[in-house]
Amino acid sequence: MQRSPDAVMLFAAGFGTRMRELTRDKPKPMIEVAGRPLIAHALELVREAGPARIAANLHYKPEPLKTFLEPENVLLSLETPDILDTGGGLRHALPLLGDGPVFTVNTDAIWKGPNPLQLAQEAWDPERMDALLVCVPLDRAVGRTGGGDFSADAEGRISRGGDLVYGGVQILKTEGLHQVEDKVFSLNVLWNQMAAANRLFALEYPGRWCDVGHPEGITLAEDLIAADDV
């Protein structure tokens, strides 16, 4: 059995600008879908996967998130005065997460089907992989506008462009974060390096997934949750 990550990073710092008026008074992860905040749906998946440590980064309107997450024993990584993007934010939170591989989870999506973190745990092979991204084919990516992000070869190695959408759940080795000189940077920097070394992999998700980064995604996600089929 491959060693599974024992720490998770919930990305919750963003401004949620695609949500327009809905994020004027609250951060995007606190927008409700099917009667619960988005971040509660993400946290449920995380709890099922069983990692020992859970952290979340905060920046935009952090107080509602603090109020929600502190009773859940989620460690908080406050980014101030500047928001640090995904790469900088993850590096900033490493003292809370430890040195091993970590899960990262975007908090603006709904998954319908098997738990994506558990699937990633089962497929993770640190001998071959520096990152494993759970991706969704375009025809099962509800609310997605535009094309896909990646394609994968027969062994799962990723290249840019194609009909696979990154769903926002991954396992990632974090050592490379310390080599980036910029304070604010995206995890795309690491992904590009890993892809060049043939160590960036995709796992195709067998269920459906909904992007809740925009207002129309709320109704789509609620319909997906209510649907009987996967």
Side-chain angles (χ1 to χ4, degrees):
M1 180 179 295
Q2 304 294 346
R3 177 178 176 266
S4 296
D6 62 0
V8 176
M9 175 70 164
L10 296 167
F11 285 123
F15 295 102
T17 52
R18 287 193 299 155
M19 281 292 189
R20 301 191 287 275
E21 293 299 312
L22 294 177
T23 50
R24 173 178 289 183
D25 299 317
K26 68 176 70 173
K28 181 171 62 174
M30 292 304 296
I31 290 174
E32 289 197 356
V33 170
R36 294 193 295 160
L38 273 167
I39 200 164
H41 293 274
L43 192 57
E44 181 179 23
L45 294 175
V46 169
R47 297 284 192 211
E48 288 175 357
R53 286 167 291 171
I54 306 170
N57 65 335
L58 311 180
H59 176 79
Y60 178 69
K61 297 192 179 297
E63 291 304 324
L65 283 163
K66 287 182 181 179
T67 299
F68 180 81
L69 293 172
E70 284 178 340
E72 297 288 340
N73 296 316
V74 174
L75 305 170
L76 304 181
S77 177
L78 185 62
E79 297 178 13
T80 183
D82 300 317
I83 193 169
L84 300 175
D85 206 340
T86 50
L90 180 58
R91 183 170 64 189
H92 184 68
L94 287 181
L96 306 176
L97 297 167
D99 296 327
V102 300
F103 284 105
T104 76
V105 178
N106 294 354
T107 55
D108 58 356
I110 294 294
W111 301 79
K112 183 65 176 288
N115 188 315
L117 285 85
Q118 292 175 331
L119 293 180
Q121 282 176 322
E122 294 165 4
W124 174 242
D125 181 358
E127 297 300 318
R128 296 188 302 134
M129 303 172 179
D130 287 340
L132 177 63
L133 283 59
V134 183
C135 295
V136 187
L138 267 174
D139 60 1
R140 297 203 297 273
V142 180
R144 173 72 172 195
T145 57
D149 301 310
F150 299 106
S151 57
D153 66 16
E155 295 183 359
R157 290 184 179 87
I158 283 179
S159 57
R160 295 281 182 176
D163 65 353
L164 292 177
V165 176
Y166 174 53
V169 168
Q170 68 172 326
I171 297 175
L172 179 83
K173 293 181 181 178
T174 60
E175 293 90 342
L177 293 169
H178 301 291
Q179 309 306 316
V180 180
E181 294 183 1
D182 295 332
K183 179 181 178 182
V184 180
F185 64 97
S186 167
L187 283 175
N188 279 291
V189 174
L190 256 63
W191 288 351
N192 290 340
Q193 295 171 357
M194 293 170 178
N198 293 318
R199 295 186 61 84
L200 183 69
F201 284 76
L203 171 66
E204 184 174 318
Y205 185 65
R208 289 192 288 164
W209 167 96
C210 185
D211 174 13
V212 200
H214 51 86
E216 297 78 11
I218 298 172
T219 299
L220 293 172
E222 290 176 338
D223 289 345
L224 182 62
I225 291 170
D228 291 332
D229 64 316
V230 173

